[in-house]
Amino acid sequence: MTSVRRRLFSILLLAAFLLVGGLASPAGAHPMSTSAVLLDVHDDRVEGEVQLPVDRLAIAVDRDLTRTSVLGEDRAFLKSYATRHISAVGEDGTSWTTTLGTGSVRTIDGTAHLVYPLTIRPPDGQDVTDFDLRYDVIVEELLTHKVIATVRYDFDRGILKTDDSETLGVLDWDTRSLRVPAGEGSWLKGFATTAQLGIEHVGEGADHLLFLLMLLIPAPLVAAAGRWRTGDTSPRRSVVRVVHVVSAFAIGHSLTLALAASGVVHVPSRPVETLIAFSIAVSAVHALRPLVARGEVLIAAGFGLVHGLAFASLIGDLGLDRGSLVTTLLGFNLGIELTQLLVVALVMPSLLVLARTALYPAFRIGVAVIGLVFSMSWMLERATLTSFDPFEGVQTWLVGHPLLVAGAVAALAAVAHLRYRVTWTAAGK
């Protein structure tokens, strides 16, 4: 017990150090700065605003832009550029009038944005009907940029009865047009959009995926005398342990996601991102040698709280907090859980087969060491101790080819099952 307490105390001490170090560092904006289109639909017009992050805009137009220049020497050029890339078309194919007002600079989510008032009117004084918003500001040049469109509706004689918006959809390189309904909001569409963003965030986030993988590796094993052993662990018992791990992580991140997204808890993004890297390091060490019995469940629950703060930060950075909070939380969380279940379904059967072979110790140690190296690199970069991550290319490739990675593990499991059936009882040798 003393040894366990000493290990846990060391982990908490290092976590506190990273948190303090992260707070002392300047908290940079989330790397995924996005544009936003906010629409208010009235009977005879659509009003709103367009929010363009200055740093992304500068890349798109290939100019050195500053908070001063966008309202000075670049003012006319930028307004002309934005106007050319925003239009609206009615159901009958008729173009609607789209007007941008005088731009201003506003800090949103810690990033300078050029903000234009937007007015859209149907022709000849007609009432607003369903129309297509066609928009490719910035996304026509930046493949990874996203534009979050939200909408509110005029339900009572020109008076917006609610401050809640619904997420209309996401514009990007592949999607440059959205249908805007005139009569009512679409709760289901907003829910589906935020669920898709949850799936994309976890599916494209190497850190979240690696954390989950590090927790799955020991699931087919049992901890005994400070080592991982195959013992008589049955597939059913391993599946139960996986369910416990995934459930613990889900409970942890759901709790802080709700608290942070609703404004009850706020932690700067840099210490959160640093602690996420640290969580991977802890889970990797646990995959090498058990820190404590059933430690993967405790790690999943404890660090799930930290991952929830990161998810909440993303909701703010994407502008999803402009929509209905309940819809956003439910949809985004569903997307996260679906992605986790998909990862488990793709990887866990192969791990169960491999765990019954003599190759699993080498596989477990090799993957855990890779996870530890990646996490240390992330920690150094996110704590601003290094300026770049030398493994970013490898991580991007792995995340971009999930089926190939899962297929390789499955092939290894099949070969190992046929040729190297387990003869050891100790998986930690």
Side-chain angles (χ1 to χ4, degrees):
M1 180 61 71
T2 302
S3 175
V4 170
R5 288 177 178 174
R6 187 180 300 113
R7 290 178 183 178
L8 293 177
F9 175 77
S10 299
I11 291 173
L12 291 174
L13 184 63
L14 182 53
F17 169 77
L18 290 172
L19 182 61
V20 172
L23 287 169
S25 304
H30 196 282
M32 190 181 177
S33 57
T34 59
S35 298
V37 178
L38 285 64
L39 301 177
D40 289 342
V41 178
H42 300 272
D43 290 337
D44 61 344
R45 70 196 184 283
V46 178
E47 296 180 337
E49 66 180 32
V50 177
Q51 302 174 352
L52 308 173
V54 174
D55 57 347
R56 305 294 92 184
L57 185 59
I59 297 173
V61 300
D62 194 22
R63 291 196 179 196
D64 293 328
L65 301 179
T66 65
R67 297 177 70 107
T68 303
S69 70
V70 296
L71 300 180
E73 60 267 28
D74 295 309
R75 185 190 199 105
F77 166 77
L78 293 176
K79 187 172 182 178
S80 175
Y81 164 77
T83 300
R84 291 196 310 271
H85 292 274
I86 304 174
S87 61
V89 177
E91 291 181 294
D92 58 358
T94 303
S95 296
W96 292 14
T97 302
T98 303
T99 307
L100 293 181
T102 302
S104 62
V105 175
R106 191 188 311 163
T107 300
I108 302 172
D109 302 325
T111 303
H113 283 63
L114 177 59
V115 179
Y116 289 112
L118 171 66
T119 303
I120 301 173
R121 292 183 182 274
D124 304 324
Q126 300 175 13
D127 288 340
V128 172
T129 59
D130 293 0
F131 68 94
D132 290 328
L133 174 68
R134 298 179 179 178
Y135 183 106
D136 64 352
V137 183
I138 299 180
V139 297
E140 48 116 14
E141 291 291 340
L142 272 68
L143 292 173
T144 59
H145 194 68
K146 295 184 183 296
V147 183
I148 308 298
T150 60
V151 63
R152 299 187 301 180
Y153 289 89
D154 178 3
F155 293 104
D156 188 12
R157 297 184 181 180
I159 300 175
L160 289 165
K161 296 176 63 177
T162 175
D163 289 333
D164 271 352
S165 303
E166 295 295 343
T167 303
L168 181 65
V170 180
L171 295 152
D172 55 23
W173 173 266
D174 296 317
T175 304
R176 305 192 188 189
S177 177
L178 288 176
R179 173 55 62 97
V180 181
E184 60 182 10
S186 175
W187 181 90
L188 182 60
K189 186 173 183 179
F191 179 83
T193 299
T194 52
Q196 177 186 349
L197 288 170
I199 292 172
E200 290 178 357
H201 178 62
V202 177
E204 297 171 358
D207 49 3
H208 298 298
L209 291 176
L210 192 56
F211 177 69
L212 181 59
L213 179 60
M214 291 299 103
L215 296 177
L216 293 179
I217 291 175
L221 309 175
V222 293
R227 290 178 177 271
W228 289 115
R229 301 178 183 275
T230 56
D232 57 353
T233 304
S234 65
R236 180 178 178 277
R237 183 176 177 181
S238 298
V239 170
V240 170
R241 290 181 65 185
V242 170
V243 171
H244 289 168
V245 168
V246 174
S247 299
F249 183 59
I251 292 172
H253 76 66
S254 297
L255 177 61
T256 47
L257 172 60
L259 292 175
S262 58
V264 176
V265 176
H266 176 72
V267 179
S269 61
R270 188 173 297 279
V272 171
E273 295 295 334
T274 306
L275 281 174
I276 285 177
F278 178 62
S279 72
I280 300 168
V282 172
S283 59
V285 171
H286 180 70
L288 291 170
R289 286 288 185 91
L291 296 173
V292 62
R294 295 184 60 80
E296 58 274 12
V297 177
L298 297 177
I299 293 170
F303 284 110
L305 298 172
V306 179
H307 285 250
L309 293 174
F311 295 148
S313 175
L314 182 75
I315 286 178
D317 290 344
L318 286 176
L320 298 180
D321 52 355
R322 288 182 281 263
S324 169
L325 184 59
V326 174
T327 301
T328 296
L329 289 176
L330 289 176
F332 198 73
N333 221 26
L334 176 64
I336 293 171
E337 304 310 329
L338 288 176
T339 308
Q340 289 182 177
L341 293 177
L342 179 60
V343 171
V344 172
L346 286 174
V347 175
M348 203 59 216
S350 300
L351 296 184
L352 291 174
V353 173
L354 267 174
R356 310 304 299 175
T357 73
L359 284 184
Y360 198 61
F363 175 83
R364 171 178 57 83
I365 292 172
V367 174
V369 168
I370 292 173
L372 187 59
V373 170
F374 283 178
S375 65
M376 294 300 294
S377 180
W378 280 325
M379 275 194 287
L380 292 173
E381 181 189 24
R382 294 174 183 183
T384 67
L385 298 178
T386 59
S387 58
F388 71 100
D389 177 11
F391 306 104
E392 183 177 0
V394 177
Q395 297 156 5
T396 301
W397 187 91
L398 291 173
V399 172
H401 300 81
L403 295 181
L404 185 59
V405 174
V409 176
L412 178 62
V415 172
H417 178 70
L418 293 174
R419 299 191 59 185
Y420 302 103
R421 295 194 178 188
V422 67
T423 57
W424 305 342
T425 58
K429 290 184 179 179

